[in-house]
Amino acid sequence: MEVENLTDYELIQKCINEDNNYFSELVSRYKNLVYSIILRMINDREEANDLAQEVFIKVYKNLHKYYPDYKFSTWIMRITTNHVIDYRRKKKQDTVAIEDVEYELKSDGSPEETYIETEQREALNALLDSLPDMYRIPILLYHKEGLSYQEIADVIDEPLSKVKNRIFRGRRIMKDTLLSSAN
Amino acid sequence: MECYKANELMMGYMDSTLTEDQASKLNQHLRTCASCKEDFLVYNNIMKEFSKAEVIAAPPGFEESVMKKIQSIEFKRNGLFSADSFVCVVWGMFSVLFGLGFILFLYKDAVLETLAAIPYMSAFIATMLPISEFVTSLSNSILLSGEVMLGIITSSRYIVLGIILCLATVQYAMYRKEKLNKHKAG
């Protein structure tokens, strides 16, 4: 059977019982998800790369603890968000300077439009970065990674109602900040 | 419609869960309430930006780096000088030396006597005798203090039993908590 056709759980079993090279397939399946969540949380490509590698090593070391009650993606996202939170706690780095944020914008608009778009995006990203993690992570997962409320509840291990409340409250904080900065 | 209700509907709008009826009610409210309309426009801008979220890809060569690190972990784990086997070797050596020392201590008089019988060794053994006596007196005093301790323990064995039970309970509670935490983390 081709490696690509194996399910995540089959791959994990093979990885534990047969050959750890099967892990490489799991890495290629989830590297973009893990890396993008981390990059959106810390806005530094090099550090995001290091942290993403650490996450996969953590995942590898804890593979035997995975139970298929949750999707593997949920489990790996939980490890990812916890790892970044721990890292930031250690570094005590709460916000990121806007100058450090890199953007890869593709726009067909005029240079002025592109400039305004970039400005807006930067402002919004900086605003998102300034939110406390409890609002920021659910908003990131919902609006940027496209997870459902239930999936987020599984990732951050909180009830659905709490997830909803946090997203609503996070949006409100963003709206109020934007309004007060405009006035 | 009250403003707080309109705000709830705006959340529904951002989640794309509004029914047609709810959408028209929200529209009606926005036409008459300037403050909610302002809120709505800001929310709409935020949503527009979110919808443009770019796809982020991991840097090239990512799998290779991860696999290289994993292979080195495996090597350390299986190698002769891995952390686990090092602890085992130290513990093993300690046990053997301690055991040998204890046997020598028990039979020290017999060993010394045998060695003293050898002509070349007698002078050396003579220098060892005071040390042997010192060790004997030391062990006697240890035994004495041990007896005193035993006396204290037996006289208050219920208290000791209570303390041991408490410690065991605390230990069990900690073990349960750790297990729960691990379950949560993994």
Side-chain angles (χ1 to χ4, degrees):
Chain A
M1 199 175 186
E2 289 288 311
V3 181
E4 292 82 24
N5 298 332
L6 293 171
T7 64
D8 289 345
Y9 193 56
E10 284 167 344
L11 270 176
I12 294 163
Q13 292 308 312
K14 280 190 178 293
C15 211
I16 295 171
N17 302 323
E18 292 174 30
D19 183 355
N20 61 19
N21 281 316
Y22 281 102
F23 192 67
S24 167
E25 172 63 19
L26 282 172
V27 178
S28 35
R29 281 185 196 180
Y30 291 102
K31 63 178 181 178
N32 290 349
L33 177 70
V34 169
Y35 181 73
S36 75
I37 290 176
I38 297 176
L39 186 62
R40 285 184 170 127
M41 281 174 84
I42 63 162
N43 286 324
D44 181 314
R45 282 176 191 274
E46 223 159 275
E47 264 174 298
N49 187 14
D50 290 345
L51 284 173
Q53 292 193 20
E54 284 166 25
V55 164
F56 276 107
I57 286 159
K58 214 174 194 178
V59 167
Y60 176 77
K61 284 182 179 168
N62 290 290
L63 266 188
H64 60 281
K65 288 186 195 158
Y66 169 74
Y67 296 103
D69 312 354
Y70 291 119
K71 281 198 290 184
F72 186 66
S73 59
T74 306
W75 190 67
I76 209 170
M77 278 191 275
R78 184 185 293 185
I79 292 179
T80 306
T81 48
N82 286 342
H83 191 70
V84 179
I85 292 170
D86 284 349
Y87 164 80
R88 277 155 44 115
R89 203 172 287 151
K90 273 179 208 149
K91 259 199 113 182
K92 284 188 183 152
Q93 165 207 330
D94 287 320
T95 47
V96 168
I98 303 168
E99 299 86 69
D100 293 346
V101 185
E102 283 179 49
Y103 295 95
E104 283 175 10
L105 266 179
K106 281 182 189 121
S107 172
D108 303 325
S110 66
E112 291 80 21
E113 272 171 30
T114 314
Y115 177 74
I116 293 167
E117 263 186 26
T118 317
E119 284 274 286
Q120 269 185 352
R121 177 163 295 195
E122 282 189 12
L124 200 79
N125 275 318
L127 183 58
L128 191 57
D129 286 344
S130 69
L131 283 183
D133 275 343
M134 63 184 294
Y135 304 122
R136 190 173 169 221
I137 292 169
I139 287 190
L140 266 175
L141 294 177
Y142 185 78
H143 286 296
K144 297 214 168 185
E145 297 296 337
L147 266 67
S148 68
Y149 284 145
Q150 186 56 57
E151 283 170 319
I152 299 169
D154 291 341
V155 169
I156 63 172
D157 204 19
E158 294 280 7
L160 193 68
S161 55
K162 226 175 196 174
V163 171
K164 248 182 170 174
N165 274 336
R166 285 185 187 176
I167 290 180
F168 288 5
R169 194 153 156 64
R171 286 173 183 162
R172 257 176 227 140
I173 296 172
M174 288 178 82
K175 182 256 301 172
D176 290 341
T177 320
L178 282 175
L179 273 178
S180 65
S181 67
N183 291 331
Chain B
M1 185 169 40
E2 304 275 340
C3 288
Y4 83 90
K5 188 79 194 152
N7 214 293
E8 272 175 26
L9 290 181
M10 284 186 227
M11 292 297 156
Y13 167 78
M14 283 184 267
D15 293 342
S16 314
T17 54
L18 282 193
T19 62
E20 210 170 302
D21 183 43
Q22 285 172 321
S24 77
K25 272 184 186 159
L26 178 63
N27 261 334
Q28 256 173 8
H29 180 80
L30 292 183
R31 260 183 236 128
T32 54
C33 178
S35 128
C36 280
K37 190 167 184 185
E38 199 178 17
D39 285 359
F40 181 78
L41 288 176
V42 176
Y43 279 139
N44 215 20
N45 266 340
I46 295 176
M47 287 305 116
K48 257 191 214 158
E49 279 306 318
F50 278 155
S51 68
K52 287 182 204 155
E54 70 269 51
V55 178
I56 297 174
F62 186 84
E63 287 102 318
E64 287 80 3
S65 316
V66 172
M67 291 315 288
K68 226 184 236 174
K69 282 187 185 163
I70 282 171
Q71 300 309 348
S72 77
I73 292 171
E74 283 300 314
F75 180 73
K76 268 188 208 156
R77 196 181 281 171
N78 299 329
L80 184 66
F81 296 107
S82 68
D84 285 350
S85 68
F86 184 70
V87 170
C88 285
V89 167
V90 169
W91 177 243
M93 277 167 68
F94 173 77
S95 312
V96 169
L97 287 177
F98 184 80
L100 264 175
F102 193 68
I103 289 167
L104 274 175
F105 168 75
L106 283 181
Y107 296 102
K108 63 181 185 309
D109 295 330
V111 172
L112 283 175
E113 256 174 48
T114 322
L115 287 177
I118 303 168
Y120 300 110
M121 295 286 278
S122 54
F124 176 66
I125 293 306
T127 61
M128 294 285 281
L129 278 174
I131 300 175
S132 161
E133 273 160 26
F134 172 69
V135 170
T136 312
S137 68
L138 200 70
S139 68
N140 281 341
S141 61
I142 290 173
L143 279 177
L144 198 71
S145 62
E147 266 169 34
V148 172
M149 281 300 289
L150 210 67
I152 295 171
I153 289 169
T154 42
S155 68
S156 53
R157 62 171 175 267
Y158 292 113
I159 300 170
V160 172
L161 205 69
I163 292 171
I164 289 172
L165 264 175
C166 278
L167 281 176
T169 320
V170 169
Q171 190 75 28
Y172 181 69
M174 278 166 71
Y175 167 75
R176 289 282 305 170
K177 204 178 157 196
E178 196 173 324
K179 210 174 168 190
L180 264 175
N181 279 345
K182 268 187 189 164
H183 187 69
K184 263 188 187 173

